[in-house]
Amino acid sequence: MGPKTKKPGNKKKKISKAERLRQLQEEEERRQKEEEEARLKYEKEEMEKLEIKRIEREKWRQLEAKWKHYIQCDGSPDPSVSQEINTFISLWKEETNETFEEVIGKSKLVLNLIDKLKLILLETPPYDLQDKIVTQYQGSILELQELLHCKFNTATEILLRQASTLADLDSGNMEKVIQDENITLYVWANLKKNPRYRSVRFSETQIGFEIPRILATSDIALRLLHTHYDQVTPLRPVPTSLQEHTSTITNLVRDEEKNLEAAISKEMQEECKQEENESNSVHEEEIKVEDQGETEVKMSSVQEEPEVTKCELEMKLISETVLAAQLLLLENAHEKPSDLDDNEVDLCQFTTLGGVYHLDILELPPQCKPMKGWMVVEILKEGLQKYIYPPETTEDFETEYSFPPIEVTLEVHENVIFFEDPMVARWDAEGKHWKTDGISNVSYKSEERLITFNLETFGPVTLIQDSHINMPYQSWELRPLDVNKVLLSVTTIFAEIQIQIKENLCMLASIKVNNKKHSSILEGRWMTPVSFITALKEAGLNIFPTRHSHFYVIINYKVPLTEMKAYRQMALLSSAFAFGWSRWNMLCDSKKVVFKVREHLRKEEPIEDPNWALLMFSGDRAQRLKIDEYSDTFSEALKEETEFHSTLYHMVKDFASEEAMEKIRSSNDQFIDSVGHMLLLTRVLSYS
């Protein structure tokens, strides 16, 4: 017999031990990856639910605020209602012969109405602003401003008609000073026309003018009207790109709602049809009754289910809209303003501070004369007239000798901080902008808060300061103080600014200038975030970058989406965790941010060297770093015995106490919004 032939079979190929280990390792890695993906998905869904619930509560709060405003009745017009504000303007125009004191009294209401309109435009989310509403509000603001200034001019004319009866016994000229919290008026009438009287000083102060001989011998009056607010600088229009972006978001929300309603309607029709078919197939009376009961229950559940789905989708869309609107706050402009005239002040780089000084040389109106027991006065039809200096034609004079620049000395507003000597700008009525030409020999006495300069032609002048003088920041810290209360500290090259935030209010806690305590009128005053930010800017404490600021400051650019998500989640955790500046934030790439974090539950003062952890966040992934603030080199290595998470909330849960997590869960929604808003506008992660 020959050798046996091997039967063909399905003999399994023997797997080596190494191959087996490799397969097991791949399976384990796949399992871990699936687990991590599932965990990250769960974390994201949990954060979405938290955000939706928070926004739903915020919507109710806004409705309550609107209702409270609606039922409030203090007799003043509602500036947002065009009919009411137009009626108010028309009635005030009809009032004549008001004294300066009466106009000042009425100006408080007018300024309040203007502030309310500006506040509405600032506080209303951009996706809720319509073009016609913006046009209406800004039109009302301009009308009120123009009418108020006209009233001041008319009141000045009435005052100057009485100049001879108010003349000073020593000089023979009239001098009048009227002060109020918003306005200061200085008026001098040249009644004697003494050529030697060329130094005009008000109320034994150094505020005043050095006038040339030609004015000292003319029938003129000098007026310095210092409005502690700025109603000369044009209102900033809402950027077109912002309107287009937000209108797209709004349309998206409406389209999604329509699609949802159509889907719900179709689903309900199908359910109803199905229920009808089922009920028609039943003939017995008893069963029919039971089926009808079941049908009613099913129908109500069908109706409730779409209603819940619709509500959830609406909340999700609102959440996405809010997110998009906040993202716009962090977007940088692509082009620097370039269409500026020579010597024009770039208002993206500079800020007007301390209000506006309206400087006018006026023709002295006819004076009151006693006649048979009556006071008779000639009233000019054209009203108060300005004296042209220098005159338009100076052929008979040597201009430089006869019409020299006038020396002006002004007092800087006490509530404004200048970190460097202020610059002076004049208003160009033709070009509708501030300019720095026509001004010379500027000197500033910081102790006396007096600024002196020579001015070629009179008109509105203001003081300006670099808007970015306190940028970039040197460091920052956000730490809890109490339940729903935190302290945000920002340290700059000139100042250390501390801001307290609680619920929907902010307050300037303290300010140090050049390491010395500085008192401010804003200290201790609680305001809403938008009002507070406006007040800080007007006081010269600008730590709020704009979309053009990166052209004037060297910044640590971060991707807006990453930066925005970091601020939102830091705000969520701020009840129980302190956050701070890290030097490593400069070294990580623009898609990531690095900052210090530690649990902070007590009200104790900040520790000199607290035990900070370093977190790195990219918007969708958070990790604890192995390095600390004092390491020699930067590394993105993950700290031992920690893992990646999709949010900061889930990241800190790994090392947070139960007390800390309970504080976070019970945080007030308004408080979280206020902290997030302040972080979004200070942009501490990209401007430090």
Side-chain angles (χ1 to χ4, degrees):
M1 293 179 66
K4 291 182 180 179
T5 57
K6 292 182 180 180
K7 294 182 180 179
N10 297 327
K11 190 173 181 181
K12 291 183 180 178
K13 186 180 178 182
K14 190 174 182 182
I15 301 174
S16 66
K17 188 175 181 181
E19 182 69 16
R20 180 64 179 164
L21 286 172
R22 187 185 65 79
Q23 288 181 354
L24 289 172
Q25 186 177 356
E26 286 179 354
E27 287 177 6
E28 179 64 19
E29 288 176 355
R30 186 164 54 250
R31 185 187 63 79
Q32 289 179 354
K33 187 178 179 181
E34 288 173 354
E35 285 181 356
E36 184 178 357
E37 287 176 352
R39 179 171 55 80
L40 293 177
K41 184 181 178 184
Y42 167 75
E43 289 176 357
K44 285 183 179 179
E45 288 175 351
E46 187 178 12
M47 281 300 295
E48 281 181 5
K49 288 177 182 177
L50 284 171
E51 180 68 11
I52 287 169
K53 286 179 181 178
R54 188 188 65 77
I55 289 175
E56 189 173 17
R57 289 193 292 267
E58 178 62 17
K59 276 185 70 179
W60 278 109
R61 187 188 68 79
Q62 289 175 356
L63 289 172
E64 287 174 358
K66 286 182 180 180
W67 174 248
K68 187 177 179 181
H69 175 76
Y70 178 76
I71 62 174
Q72 185 181 7
C73 185
D74 58 1
S76 62
D78 184 346
S80 63
V81 180
S82 59
Q83 186 177 356
E84 289 189 29
I85 200 68
N86 290 339
T87 302
F88 172 80
I89 291 171
S90 299
L91 291 175
W92 198 27
K93 281 181 179 178
E94 293 174 2
E95 295 180 23
T96 56
N97 298 323
E98 292 172 287
T99 64
F100 214 95
E101 289 80 0
E102 288 172 337
V103 174
I104 283 179
K106 195 69 168 282
S107 71
K108 294 178 181 179
L109 173 58
V110 175
L111 293 173
N112 185 39
L113 295 174
I114 291 171
D115 288 342
K116 279 184 179 180
L117 287 170
K118 288 182 177 179
L119 197 61
I120 292 171
L121 290 173
L122 288 171
E123 286 187 334
T124 306
Y127 49 83
D128 282 341
L129 278 177
Q130 299 176 3
D131 289 346
K132 63 177 183 179
I133 294 297
V134 173
T135 303
Q136 175 194 322
Y137 290 175
Q138 291 189 338
S140 297
I141 291 170
L142 293 174
E143 277 193 80
L144 288 168
Q145 289 176 345
E146 185 179 346
L147 179 57
L148 181 58
H149 198 69
C150 286
K151 289 287 184 178
F152 281 136
N153 286 340
T154 304
T156 302
E157 182 185 4
I158 293 171
L159 180 63
L160 287 175
R161 286 184 204 146
Q162 307 166 23
S164 56
T165 62
L166 301 172
D168 181 68
L169 295 176
D170 295 331
S171 66
N173 297 317
M174 187 274 273
E175 177 190 307
K176 184 78 172 178
V177 178
I178 300 175
Q179 287 186 311
D180 184 69
E181 58 181 315
N182 299 314
I183 296 149
T184 305
L185 173 72
Y186 302 91
V187 178
W188 177 81
N190 189 15
L191 299 172
K192 285 296 183 182
K193 296 185 281 295
N194 185 349
R196 295 181 180 179
Y197 195 92
R198 296 166 63 178
S199 182
V200 180
R201 293 290 178 265
F202 292 99
S203 299
E204 300 179 355
T205 68
Q206 296 189 45
I207 301 168
F209 312 92
E210 292 292 332
I211 59 176
R213 181 184 177 88
I214 187 71
L215 292 181
T217 57
S218 300
D219 285 322
I220 59 134
L222 298 175
R223 180 180 71 170
L224 164 54
L225 175 62
H226 180 198
T227 58
H228 303 168
Y229 48 85
D230 179 5
Q231 292 188 352
V232 175
T233 304
L235 299 171
R236 294 192 177 186
V238 177
T240 308
S241 59
L242 182 66
Q243 290 177 341
E244 290 173 355
H245 192 101
T246 51
S247 62
T248 303
I249 294 170
T250 308
N251 291 335
L252 176 65
V253 173
R254 288 172 181 164
D255 291 344
E256 287 289 341
E257 285 182 355
K258 286 178 182 177
N259 293 338
L260 178 66
E261 287 173 1
I264 291 170
S265 177
K266 185 177 180 181
E267 182 182 344
M268 287 182 66
Q269 287 176 4
E270 290 177 355
E271 291 286 343
C272 290
K273 193 173 182 180
Q274 184 180 347
E275 294 298 334
E276 284 177 9
N277 292 336
E278 287 179 3
S279 63
N280 289 336
S281 63
V282 180
H283 301 289
E284 296 179 5
E285 184 68 26
E286 191 175 36
I287 299 174
K288 187 175 180 180
V289 172
E290 289 176 1
D291 281 353
Q292 284 176 345
E294 288 178 9
T295 302
E296 288 175 5
V297 172
K298 288 180 181 178
M299 279 291 292
S300 65
S301 66
V302 168
Q303 289 173 354
E304 287 173 7
E305 217 173 287
E307 197 62 38
V308 172
T309 309
K310 181 181 177 182
C311 183
E312 287 179 354
L313 182 56
E314 282 179 350
M315 287 297 107
K316 189 172 182 180
L317 288 171
I318 291 171
S319 175
E320 290 172 357
T321 307
V322 170
L323 187 145
Q326 290 179 344
L327 195 59
L328 288 173
L329 294 174
L330 304 178
E331 285 188 356
N332 293 328
H334 299 298
E335 294 182 3
K336 185 179 178 180
S338 57
D339 55 341
L340 300 177
D341 293 345
D342 293 339
N343 301 306
E344 181 182 346
V345 175
D346 181 1
L347 291 177
C348 291
Q349 183 179 5
F350 295 95
T351 303
T352 64
L353 290 177
V356 176
Y357 303 85
H358 298 264
L359 304 175
D360 297 295
I361 306 174
L362 305 169
E363 293 181 0
L364 199 59
Q367 296 299 294
C368 296
K369 296 178 182 178
M371 187 176 292
K372 297 180 180 180
W374 293 82
M375 293 297 291
V376 180
V377 62
E378 179 186 357
I379 298 177
L380 301 177
K381 186 178 180 181
E382 56 271 17
L384 194 65
Q385 295 296 302
K386 290 187 178 181
Y387 181 93
I388 306 301
Y389 179 90
E392 295 175 356
T393 57
T394 57
E395 297 174 358
D396 300 332
F397 305 95
E398 294 179 14
T399 306
E400 290 184 5
Y401 177 77
S402 301
F403 304 100
I406 299 173
E407 183 181 288
V408 181
T409 301
L410 304 175
E411 184 178 26
V412 177
H413 197 289
E414 61 181 352
N415 297 331
V416 175
I417 300 175
F418 282 95
F419 296 97
E420 293 179 344
D421 289 356
M423 293 177 281
V424 184
R426 66 173 184 86
W427 180 247
D428 181 356
E430 186 178 345
K432 301 294 182 185
H433 49 235
W434 295 104
K435 300 188 77 171
T436 54
D437 61 343
I439 301 165
S440 58
N441 299 334
V442 180
S443 64
Y444 179 57
K445 297 178 181 178
S446 57
E447 294 295 326
E448 295 89 346
R449 298 183 69 81
L450 293 173
I451 188 164
T452 302
F453 54 91
N454 290 346
L455 192 62
E456 292 180 5
T457 58
F458 267 33
V461 300
T462 190
L463 306 180
I464 59 174
Q465 179 172 256
D466 188 342
S467 304
H468 311 95
I469 198 165
N470 282 307
M471 301 176 205
Y473 321 130
Q474 293 185 322
S475 66
W476 61 273
E477 182 179 305
L478 178 72
R479 64 182 174 90
L481 291 178
D482 205 343
V483 179
N484 294 320
K485 189 175 183 181
V486 297
L487 181 73
L488 174 63
S489 301
V490 178
T491 304
T492 75
I493 192 170
F494 290 106
E496 181 186 345
I497 301 167
Q498 293 192 332
I499 300 167
Q500 284 189 21
I501 308 169
K502 69 172 183 180
E503 296 181 356
N504 65 329
L505 298 171
C506 302
M507 178 191 74
L508 181 64
S510 71
I511 175 173
K512 289 181 181 178
V513 178
N514 296 324
N515 295 319
K516 293 180 181 178
K517 181 78 172 69
H518 182 89
S519 60
S520 171
I521 194 173
L522 298 178
E523 286 184 56
R525 290 174 56 188
W526 290 101
M527 291 177 267
T528 59
V530 172
S531 299
F532 175 74
I533 290 166
T534 302
L536 273 192
K537 286 181 178 179
E538 290 176 351
L541 300 172
N542 188 6
I543 51 170
F544 307 100
T546 67
R547 58 197 305 266
H548 290 98
S549 293
H550 64 288
F551 290 119
Y552 311 101
V553 184
I554 297 173
I555 69 169
N556 180 21
Y557 175 75
K558 297 297 178 183
V559 172
L561 185 60
T562 301
E563 193 178 357
M564 183 210 62
K565 286 185 175 181
Y567 294 145
R568 286 161 63 100
Q569 294 185 34
M570 285 162 63
L572 178 66
L573 303 172
S574 60
S575 288
F577 285 86
F579 298 89
W581 171 85
S582 170
R583 67 192 183 107
W584 302 122
N585 190 44
M586 293 283 292
L587 298 180
C588 66
D589 64 50
S590 61
K591 296 179 181 177
K592 299 170 184 174
V593 293
V594 176
F595 45 84
K596 298 184 296 186
V597 63
R598 71 183 178 93
E599 189 175 298
H600 188 110
L601 299 177
R602 304 291 176 259
K603 301 177 186 178
E604 73 271 7
E605 291 297 315
I607 306 167
E608 287 296 325
D609 189 18
N611 185 23
W612 293 100
L614 278 182
L615 295 188
M616 186 168 72
F617 184 57
S618 64
D620 53 11
R621 172 169 281 201
Q623 69 181 87
R624 187 171 178 179
L625 296 179
K626 185 177 181 180
I627 60 170
D628 60 29
E629 194 65 16
Y630 306 103
S631 299
D632 294 330
T633 57
F634 177 67
S635 169
E636 295 187 4
L638 187 69
K639 186 175 176 63
E640 300 89 348
E641 299 180 0
T642 64
E643 57 185 355
F644 295 104
H645 289 275
S646 63
T647 69
L648 294 177
Y649 174 80
H650 294 91
M651 179 74 249
V652 300
K653 280 178 74 175
D654 282 355
F655 56 87
S657 66
E658 183 55 38
E659 184 183 355
M661 296 312 297
E662 182 56 37
K663 269 196 168 186
I664 291 168
R665 284 189 287 267
S666 59
S667 293
N668 182 285
D669 296 321
Q670 292 179 321
F671 163 75
I672 294 171
D673 281 344
S674 298
V675 175
H677 190 70
M678 195 60 63
L679 291 173
L680 279 165
L681 291 182
T682 51
R683 299 189 65 179
V684 291
L685 291 173
S686 58
Y687 277 79
S688 295

